[in-house]
Amino acid sequence: MSGRKFNFNPGPAVLPLSALEQAQKDLIDFAGTGIGILESSHRAKEFDAVFQETKARMAKLMKLPADRKILFFGGGANLQFAMLPMNLLPKGSSADYVNTGVWAGNALKNAKLIGDARSLLDTKGEDGVYRRVPSASEIKVTPGAAYLHLCSNNTIFGTQYHEWPDTGDVPLVVDMSSDILCRELDWSRFDLVYAGAQKNLGPAGVTIVIISQRLLERCADGLPMMLSYKQFVAKDSLGNTPPCFPIYMVNLVLKWVEEQGGVAAVEKVNRKKAAALYDLFDAQPDFFRGTAEKGSRSLMNVTFRLPSEELEKKLISEATAAGFVGLKGHRDVGGLRASLYNAMSLEGVEKLVEFMKGFAKKS
């Protein structure tokens, strides 16, 4: 489609063109009903078919264990920061949190408002910057902890877990908002995963929660319906009107992943995209300085600096004019960031790399 730019925004972020084109059609007439998807009742059989298909497609693509329940919430990951301890941190128990950046830290802050949540490990550097995630061997869970919470990918600092700790009987809970479905995982390792859709799964407005049966059985009773995992499972996420359009879009994105050959095929492309930028950094370290330690480099969010802030502003300006949008780093850390979510094409990244090479040569 002419006029489309290469979208490197950190979220809301790039979506597959095929999904956008299908949505464009369904905004007017959804499934032959004569009304648009935005107008459809969540009780209509046509939407229910999409709803059930979305769950089935997600379970198949991720190869989820049979006992996992897929739930759809509003409120983003921020709501899950509070829901987790409300449901899973009873009085007299404690929960372990590993702080690797802003969102992991916010999850811990919220949990402390509700129960005994403890910072098991914090990877902040002396300069206040998070440049790494801990190795699996560094994470020693507290025996009997209610759960261990990690944030798998840190959008602001460009770091990502590439191995998972052995938590024994302690349930592993992971915020995968910015890297869900970017690579194949052994989903039996995780008891609860949550992810805002607006980075790798769809538009803003829906958060996916995947919870195991054993953890569901530990959830507190007596919570308000909108804050209870148990009640959401019992009502199949339909206790109130769900975020229908975002769920519909998630299904289209999942369908696109299928068409690429599944998660393994998408991961292969993701690794090529990330390597194209990191190889440039390693080849020209005096000009492009990656901010994450090599062992913690993210596949999804590539963060870097130039020799001066003036050059950074100039690159962002010229890149935007050339059709590469969203490269400005987070306001808390500055610099630059290229977000390489699944729907960003390898072609887009390769063209960005060529642009950056040319910029460095003339600067």
Side-chain angles (χ1 to χ4, degrees):
M1 180 183 291
S2 62
R4 292 279 295 175
K5 297 186 177 182
F6 292 111
N7 180 0
F8 292 94
N9 276 304
V14 59
L15 290 167
L17 183 57
S18 61
L20 294 172
E21 289 174 337
Q22 184 61 51
Q24 187 178 44
K25 297 175 184 177
D26 289 342
L27 284 174
I28 305 301
D29 185 355
F30 169 56
T33 60
I35 63 173
I37 180 61
L38 289 170
E39 306 167 284
S40 178
S41 168
H42 63 295
R43 304 294 182 188
K45 69 179 192 296
E46 293 83 5
F47 179 77
D48 184 65
V50 170
F51 185 80
Q52 301 303 331
E53 185 178 89
T54 304
K55 292 191 297 178
R57 183 167 270 143
M58 186 177 295
K60 182 179 179 181
L61 278 170
M62 293 181 179
K63 302 175 184 176
L64 294 179
D67 73 329
R68 288 339 191 241
K69 308 296 183 184
I70 299 172
L71 307 174
F72 299 97
F73 290 86
N78 279 278
L79 176 61
Q80 298 306 313
F81 295 166
M83 281 193 69
L84 277 169
M86 290 178 72
N87 282 266
L88 294 166
L89 184 50
K91 191 173 293 186
S93 295
S94 65
D96 289 343
Y97 281 70
V98 176
N99 189 0
T100 51
V102 171
W103 307 118
N106 285 349
L108 175 59
K109 289 176 186 176
N110 277 268
K112 283 183 174 181
L113 296 174
I114 294 164
D116 185 8
R118 304 175 181 179
S119 177
L120 186 69
L121 192 61
D122 192 310
T123 61
K124 183 189 290 185
E126 292 182 0
D127 57 358
V129 177
Y130 289 89
R131 291 191 171 85
R132 71 180 189 94
V133 296
S135 65
S137 61
E138 286 181 81
I139 301 174
K140 308 292 186 183
V141 295
T142 304
Y147 57 86
L148 169 67
H149 180 278
L150 308 177
C151 180
S152 60
N153 184 75
N154 302 285
T155 55
I156 294 175
F157 298 100
T159 62
Q160 185 180 33
Y161 283 91
H162 299 293
E163 57 179 352
W164 306 100
D166 180 1
T167 61
D169 293 331
V170 175
L172 179 58
V173 173
V174 183
D175 175 0
M176 291 191 185
S177 290
S178 54
D179 66 349
I180 193 168
L181 269 189
C182 82
R183 55 188 170 173
E184 288 200 302
L185 295 173
D186 176 3
W187 289 92
S188 68
R189 299 285 302 276
F190 311 102
D191 278 278
L192 189 148
V193 166
Y194 61 96
Q198 68 272 16
K199 300 177 186 294
N200 226 22
L201 279 181
V206 64
T207 302
I208 288 84
V209 172
I210 301 167
I211 186 171
S212 69
Q213 182 63 35
R214 79 153 180 160
L215 203 56
L216 187 66
E217 291 169 358
R218 298 186 188 186
C219 288
D221 295 314
L223 294 173
M225 187 271 287
M226 293 300 292
L227 298 172
S228 168
Y229 292 133
K230 280 185 175 179
Q231 292 197 53
F232 256 72
V233 168
K235 296 179 181 294
D236 197 17
S237 301
L238 296 169
N240 74 321
T241 305
C244 297
F245 182 72
I247 293 170
Y248 155 88
M249 285 298 301
V250 167
N251 190 44
L252 292 183
V253 173
L254 294 173
K255 183 178 180 183
W256 174 85
V257 172
E258 283 183 342
E259 291 167 350
Q260 307 315 298
V263 179
V266 167
E267 177 181 355
K268 186 176 181 179
V269 175
N270 284 338
R271 293 191 181 280
K272 288 182 179 179
K273 291 185 299 187
L277 277 164
Y278 291 128
D279 286 350
L280 174 61
F281 298 170
D282 293 340
Q284 300 187 43
D286 292 336
F287 195 86
F288 298 108
R289 177 174 59 83
T291 60
E293 292 186 8
K294 285 189 177 182
S296 297
R297 285 173 167 177
S298 171
L299 296 175
M300 296 285 94
N301 306 100
V302 177
T303 54
F304 58 104
R305 303 300 303 252
L306 301 188
S308 69
E309 290 188 7
E310 182 182 357
L311 278 173
E312 291 172 351
K313 291 177 182 178
K314 187 177 180 183
L315 189 151
I316 292 167
S317 176
E318 292 187 11
T320 302
F324 305 103
V325 300
L327 292 172
K328 186 177 181 180
H330 191 275
R331 60 186 178 276
D332 288 349
V333 296
L336 297 101
R337 169 175 55 180
S339 295
L340 313 181
Y341 301 123
N342 286 353
M344 169 51 63
S345 66
L346 178 59
E347 175 195 12
V349 178
E350 290 175 340
K351 286 186 174 182
L352 174 64
V353 168
E354 287 305 308
F355 169 84
M356 290 168 61
K357 286 179 178 178
F359 182 87
K361 189 174 182 179
K362 71 180 184 180
S363 296

